[in-house]
mmCIF file of all heavy atoms in Angstrom:
data_model
loop_
_atom_site.group_PDB
_atom_site.id
_atom_site.type_symbol
_atom_site.label_atom_id
_atom_site.label_comp_id
_atom_site.label_asym_id
_atom_site.label_seq_id
_atom_site.Cartn_x
_atom_site.Cartn_y
_atom_site.Cartn_z
ATOM 1 N N GLU P 112 22.850 39.299 -54.120
ATOM 2 C CA GLU P 112 21.752 40.251 -54.374
ATOM 3 C C GLU P 112 20.426 39.537 -54.452
ATOM 4 O O GLU P 112 19.367 40.132 -54.220
ATOM 5 C CB GLU P 112 22.006 40.996 -55.701
ATOM 6 C CG GLU P 112 23.354 41.686 -55.780
ATOM 7 C CD GLU P 112 23.443 42.911 -54.871
ATOM 8 O OE1 GLU P 112 22.432 43.629 -54.742
ATOM 9 O OE2 GLU P 112 24.506 43.102 -54.257
ATOM 10 N N THR P 113 20.454 38.244 -54.806
ATOM 11 C CA THR P 113 19.206 37.480 -54.901
ATOM 12 C C THR P 113 19.260 36.286 -53.964
ATOM 13 O O THR P 113 20.341 35.823 -53.577
ATOM 14 C CB THR P 113 18.985 36.930 -56.317
ATOM 15 O OG1 THR P 113 20.103 36.081 -56.638
ATOM 16 C CG2 THR P 113 18.852 38.046 -57.322
ATOM 17 N N ALA P 114 18.093 35.796 -53.639
ATOM 18 C CA ALA P 114 18.013 34.647 -52.729
ATOM 19 C C ALA P 114 18.709 33.420 -53.287
ATOM 20 O O ALA P 114 19.393 32.701 -52.569
ATOM 21 C CB ALA P 114 16.545 34.325 -52.432
ATOM 22 N N GLN P 115 18.570 33.192 -54.608
ATOM 23 C CA GLN P 115 19.157 31.989 -55.201
ATOM 24 C C GLN P 115 20.664 32.007 -55.152
ATOM 25 O O GLN P 115 21.314 30.973 -55.058
ATOM 26 C CB GLN P 115 18.717 31.831 -56.663
ATOM 27 C CG GLN P 115 17.232 31.598 -56.856
ATOM 28 C CD GLN P 115 16.438 32.901 -56.865
ATOM 29 O OE1 GLN P 115 16.917 33.947 -56.413
ATOM 30 N NE2 GLN P 115 15.218 32.839 -57.378
ATOM 31 N N GLY P 116 21.230 33.244 -55.230
ATOM 32 C CA GLY P 116 22.682 33.324 -55.286
ATOM 33 C C GLY P 116 23.360 33.130 -53.939
ATOM 34 O O GLY P 116 24.549 32.871 -53.848
ATOM 35 N N GLU P 117 22.596 33.242 -52.862
ATOM 36 C CA GLU P 117 23.234 33.240 -51.536
ATOM 37 C C GLU P 117 23.659 31.856 -51.105
ATOM 38 O O GLU P 117 22.944 30.876 -51.277
ATOM 39 C CB GLU P 117 22.241 33.817 -50.522
ATOM 40 C CG GLU P 117 22.816 33.909 -49.110
ATOM 41 C CD GLU P 117 21.774 34.320 -48.076
ATOM 42 O OE1 GLU P 117 21.611 35.529 -47.842
ATOM 43 O OE2 GLU P 117 21.120 33.403 -47.507
ATOM 44 N N ARG P 118 24.888 31.785 -50.537
ATOM 45 C CA ARG P 118 25.322 30.564 -49.855
ATOM 46 C C ARG P 118 25.207 30.878 -48.364
ATOM 47 O O ARG P 118 25.748 31.884 -47.932
ATOM 48 C CB ARG P 118 26.796 30.232 -50.178
ATOM 49 C CG ARG P 118 27.070 29.938 -51.609
ATOM 50 C CD ARG P 118 26.905 28.443 -51.920
ATOM 51 N NE ARG P 118 27.080 28.222 -53.348
ATOM 52 C CZ ARG P 118 26.151 28.534 -54.263
ATOM 53 N NH1 ARG P 118 25.017 29.089 -53.894
ATOM 54 N NH2 ARG P 118 26.409 28.331 -55.535
ATOM 55 N N PRO P 119 24.531 30.061 -47.595
ATOM 56 C CA PRO P 119 24.296 30.425 -46.182
ATOM 57 C C PRO P 119 25.575 30.449 -45.355
ATOM 58 O O PRO P 119 26.446 29.600 -45.549
ATOM 59 C CB PRO P 119 23.366 29.320 -45.670
ATOM 60 C CG PRO P 119 23.572 28.173 -46.594
ATOM 61 C CD PRO P 119 23.954 28.737 -47.928
ATOM 62 N N GLY P 120 25.670 31.442 -44.460
ATOM 63 C CA GLY P 120 26.799 31.510 -43.528
ATOM 64 C C GLY P 120 26.458 30.781 -42.249
ATOM 65 O O GLY P 120 25.310 30.408 -42.015
ATOM 66 N N ARG P 121 27.474 30.548 -41.425
ATOM 67 C CA ARG P 121 27.263 29.875 -40.140
ATOM 68 C C ARG P 121 26.768 30.873 -39.118
ATOM 69 O O ARG P 121 27.014 32.053 -39.238
ATOM 70 C CB ARG P 121 28.581 29.270 -39.653
ATOM 71 C CG ARG P 121 29.245 28.372 -40.648
ATOM 72 C CD ARG P 121 28.550 27.065 -40.722
ATOM 73 N NE ARG P 121 28.968 26.291 -41.879
ATOM 74 C CZ ARG P 121 28.707 25.019 -42.029
ATOM 75 N NH1 ARG P 121 28.045 24.375 -41.085
ATOM 76 N NH2 ARG P 121 29.101 24.392 -43.107
ATOM 77 N N PHE P 122 26.113 30.363 -38.097
ATOM 78 C CA PHE P 122 25.585 31.254 -37.057
ATOM 79 C C PHE P 122 26.711 31.915 -36.275
ATOM 80 O O PHE P 122 26.646 33.088 -35.928
ATOM 81 C CB PHE P 122 24.658 30.468 -36.126
ATOM 82 C CG PHE P 122 23.980 31.327 -35.100
ATOM 83 C CD1 PHE P 122 23.037 32.278 -35.500
ATOM 84 C CD2 PHE P 122 24.302 31.223 -33.767
ATOM 85 C CE1 PHE P 122 22.419 33.093 -34.560
ATOM 86 C CE2 PHE P 122 23.679 32.041 -32.828
ATOM 87 C CZ PHE P 122 22.733 32.975 -33.221
ATOM 88 N N PHE P 123 27.732 31.136 -35.933
ATOM 89 C CA PHE P 123 28.927 31.721 -35.309
ATOM 90 C C PHE P 123 30.059 31.670 -36.315
ATOM 91 O O PHE P 123 30.232 30.673 -37.013
ATOM 92 C CB PHE P 123 29.385 30.898 -34.100
ATOM 93 C CG PHE P 123 28.537 31.045 -32.887
ATOM 94 C CD1 PHE P 123 27.815 29.981 -32.405
ATOM 95 C CD2 PHE P 123 28.473 32.257 -32.221
ATOM 96 C CE1 PHE P 123 27.042 30.116 -31.265
ATOM 97 C CE2 PHE P 123 27.691 32.389 -31.087
ATOM 98 C CZ PHE P 123 26.965 31.315 -30.602
ATOM 99 N N LYS P 124 30.857 32.747 -36.398
ATOM 100 C CA LYS P 124 32.009 32.711 -37.289
ATOM 101 C C LYS P 124 33.212 33.277 -36.570
ATOM 102 O O LYS P 124 33.116 34.314 -35.890
ATOM 103 C CB LYS P 124 31.708 33.542 -38.556
ATOM 104 C CG LYS P 124 32.840 33.682 -39.500
ATOM 105 C CD LYS P 124 33.061 32.413 -40.311
ATOM 106 C CE LYS P 124 34.268 32.618 -41.225
ATOM 107 N NZ LYS P 124 34.562 31.414 -42.019
ATOM 108 N N ILE P 125 34.322 32.562 -36.696
ATOM 109 C CA ILE P 125 35.580 33.084 -36.172
ATOM 110 C C ILE P 125 36.473 33.397 -37.350
ATOM 111 O O ILE P 125 36.704 32.540 -38.211
ATOM 112 C CB ILE P 125 36.283 32.058 -35.262
ATOM 113 C CG1 ILE P 125 35.421 31.785 -34.021
ATOM 114 C CG2 ILE P 125 37.662 32.590 -34.847
ATOM 115 C CD1 ILE P 125 35.985 30.720 -33.126
ATOM 116 N N LEU P 126 36.946 34.640 -37.408
ATOM 117 C CA LEU P 126 37.791 35.071 -38.526
ATOM 118 C C LEU P 126 39.146 35.490 -37.965
ATOM 119 O O LEU P 126 39.225 36.389 -37.133
ATOM 120 C CB LEU P 126 37.117 36.254 -39.230
ATOM 121 C CG LEU P 126 37.688 36.698 -40.562
ATOM 122 C CD1 LEU P 126 37.501 35.623 -41.597
ATOM 123 C CD2 LEU P 126 36.985 37.975 -41.003
ATOM 124 N N ALA P 127 40.200 34.829 -38.404
ATOM 125 C CA ALA P 127 41.531 35.189 -37.893
ATOM 126 C C ALA P 127 42.094 36.400 -38.654
ATOM 127 O O ALA P 127 41.890 36.522 -39.866
ATOM 128 C CB ALA P 127 42.460 33.991 -38.026
ATOM 129 N N LEU P 128 42.800 37.255 -37.934
ATOM 130 C CA LEU P 128 43.459 38.413 -38.561
ATOM 131 C C LEU P 128 44.952 38.267 -38.350
ATOM 132 O O LEU P 128 45.387 37.483 -37.494
ATOM 133 C CB LEU P 128 42.997 39.718 -37.896
ATOM 134 C CG LEU P 128 41.504 40.025 -37.929
ATOM 135 C CD1 LEU P 128 41.216 41.292 -37.111
ATOM 136 C CD2 LEU P 128 41.034 40.227 -39.372
ATOM 137 N N SER P 129 45.716 39.024 -39.096
ATOM 138 C CA SER P 129 47.153 38.973 -38.832
ATOM 139 C C SER P 129 47.476 39.932 -37.699
ATOM 140 O O SER P 129 46.751 40.890 -37.452
ATOM 141 C CB SER P 129 47.939 39.360 -40.091
ATOM 142 O OG SER P 129 47.759 40.751 -40.342
ATOM 143 N N LYS P 130 48.593 39.660 -37.032
ATOM 144 C CA LYS P 130 48.982 40.482 -35.880
ATOM 145 C C LYS P 130 49.136 41.954 -36.281
ATOM 146 O O LYS P 130 48.768 42.869 -35.560
ATOM 147 C CB LYS P 130 50.313 39.950 -35.327
ATOM 148 C CG LYS P 130 50.700 40.558 -34.004
ATOM 149 C CD LYS P 130 51.811 39.753 -33.350
ATOM 150 C CE LYS P 130 52.361 40.562 -32.191
ATOM 151 N NZ LYS P 130 53.312 39.798 -31.398
ATOM 152 N N ALA P 131 49.668 42.129 -37.478
ATOM 153 C CA ALA P 131 49.904 43.492 -37.955
ATOM 154 C C ALA P 131 48.608 44.274 -38.095
ATOM 155 O O ALA P 131 48.563 45.481 -37.881
ATOM 156 C CB ALA P 131 50.636 43.431 -39.288
ATOM 157 N N MET P 132 47.518 43.551 -38.453
ATOM 158 C CA MET P 132 46.247 44.240 -38.673
ATOM 159 C C MET P 132 45.625 44.724 -37.368
ATOM 160 O O MET P 132 44.852 45.665 -37.386
ATOM 161 C CB MET P 132 45.253 43.296 -39.361
ATOM 162 C CG MET P 132 45.580 43.059 -40.829
ATOM 163 S SD MET P 132 44.803 41.544 -41.421
ATOM 164 C CE MET P 132 43.147 42.058 -41.561
ATOM 165 N N ALA P 133 45.988 44.057 -36.244
ATOM 166 C CA ALA P 133 45.314 44.420 -34.986
ATOM 167 C C ALA P 133 46.218 45.209 -34.054
ATOM 168 O O ALA P 133 46.286 44.941 -32.863
ATOM 169 C CB ALA P 133 44.800 43.146 -34.324
ATOM 170 N N GLN P 134 46.915 46.171 -34.575
ATOM 171 C CA GLN P 134 47.744 47.045 -33.735
ATOM 172 C C GLN P 134 46.851 47.938 -32.902
ATOM 173 O O GLN P 134 45.701 48.208 -33.285
ATOM 174 C CB GLN P 134 48.646 47.905 -34.626
ATOM 175 C CG GLN P 134 49.705 47.081 -35.358
ATOM 176 C CD GLN P 134 50.607 46.375 -34.362
ATOM 177 O OE1 GLN P 134 51.053 46.971 -33.367
ATOM 178 N NE2 GLN P 134 50.869 45.105 -34.617
ATOM 179 N N PRO P 135 47.359 48.427 -31.735
ATOM 180 C CA PRO P 135 46.533 49.352 -30.930
ATOM 181 C C PRO P 135 46.068 50.531 -31.769
ATOM 182 O O PRO P 135 46.776 51.017 -32.631
ATOM 183 C CB PRO P 135 47.503 49.810 -29.822
ATOM 184 C CG PRO P 135 48.457 48.691 -29.705
ATOM 185 C CD PRO P 135 48.599 48.097 -31.082
ATOM 186 N N GLY P 136 44.826 50.937 -31.489
ATOM 187 C CA GLY P 136 44.254 52.044 -32.245
ATOM 188 C C GLY P 136 42.811 51.750 -32.566
ATOM 189 O O GLY P 136 42.279 50.714 -32.174
ATOM 190 N N ALA P 137 42.125 52.641 -33.294
ATOM 191 C CA ALA P 137 40.724 52.412 -33.673
ATOM 192 C C ALA P 137 40.679 51.768 -35.043
ATOM 193 O O ALA P 137 41.367 52.213 -35.963
ATOM 194 C CB ALA P 137 39.975 53.734 -33.676
ATOM 195 N N HIS P 138 39.906 50.697 -35.159
ATOM 196 C CA HIS P 138 39.812 50.002 -36.449
ATOM 197 C C HIS P 138 38.378 49.882 -36.876
ATOM 198 O O HIS P 138 37.488 49.590 -36.075
ATOM 199 C CB HIS P 138 40.458 48.616 -36.361
ATOM 200 C CG HIS P 138 41.930 48.654 -36.089
ATOM 201 N ND1 HIS P 138 42.858 48.689 -37.106
ATOM 202 C CD2 HIS P 138 42.624 48.673 -34.915
ATOM 203 C CE1 HIS P 138 44.077 48.722 -36.566
ATOM 204 N NE2 HIS P 138 43.959 48.716 -35.228
ATOM 205 N N GLN P 139 38.175 50.061 -38.170
ATOM 206 C CA GLN P 139 36.845 50.000 -38.756
ATOM 207 C C GLN P 139 36.511 48.556 -39.113
ATOM 208 O O GLN P 139 37.262 47.870 -39.790
ATOM 209 C CB GLN P 139 36.839 50.868 -40.029
ATOM 210 C CG GLN P 139 35.511 50.933 -40.738
ATOM 211 C CD GLN P 139 34.621 52.004 -40.135
ATOM 212 O OE1 GLN P 139 34.111 51.862 -39.034
ATOM 213 N NE2 GLN P 139 34.482 53.094 -40.872
ATOM 214 N N PHE P 140 35.326 48.108 -38.680
ATOM 215 C CA PHE P 140 34.868 46.749 -38.986
ATOM 216 C C PHE P 140 33.558 46.879 -39.709
ATOM 217 O O PHE P 140 32.635 47.536 -39.233
ATOM 218 C CB PHE P 140 34.711 45.973 -37.667
ATOM 219 C CG PHE P 140 34.087 44.607 -37.830
ATOM 220 C CD1 PHE P 140 34.869 43.527 -38.243
ATOM 221 C CD2 PHE P 140 32.723 44.402 -37.580
ATOM 222 C CE1 PHE P 140 34.286 42.280 -38.386
ATOM 223 C CE2 PHE P 140 32.165 43.144 -37.716
ATOM 224 C CZ PHE P 140 32.951 42.076 -38.114
ATOM 225 N N GLU P 141 33.443 46.292 -40.900
ATOM 226 C CA GLU P 141 32.183 46.408 -41.627
ATOM 227 C C GLU P 141 31.791 45.069 -42.210
ATOM 228 O O GLU P 141 32.641 44.278 -42.630
ATOM 229 C CB GLU P 141 32.334 47.447 -42.754
ATOM 230 C CG GLU P 141 30.994 47.735 -43.457
ATOM 231 C CD GLU P 141 31.081 48.931 -44.382
ATOM 232 O OE1 GLU P 141 31.806 49.898 -44.051
ATOM 233 O OE2 GLU P 141 30.436 48.889 -45.434
ATOM 234 N N MET P 142 30.448 44.787 -42.228
ATOM 235 C CA MET P 142 29.931 43.548 -42.809
ATOM 236 C C MET P 142 28.914 43.892 -43.872
ATOM 237 O O MET P 142 28.049 44.733 -43.650
ATOM 238 C CB MET P 142 29.221 42.716 -41.740
ATOM 239 C CG MET P 142 30.120 42.290 -40.614
ATOM 240 S SD MET P 142 29.293 41.167 -39.471
ATOM 241 C CE MET P 142 28.284 42.292 -38.588
#
Side-chain angles (χ1 to χ4, degrees):
Chain P
E112 305 289 323
T113 59
Q115 295 84 342
E117 182 187 270
R118 297 270 176 285
R121 306 285 167 166
F122 185 67
F123 286 114
K124 175 76 182 179
I125 296 176
L126 191 66
L128 301 175
S129 70
K130 190 166 168 173
M132 287 159 75
Q134 292 300 315
H138 296 269
Q139 181 85 288
F140 173 81
E141 187 169 324
M142 298 186 284

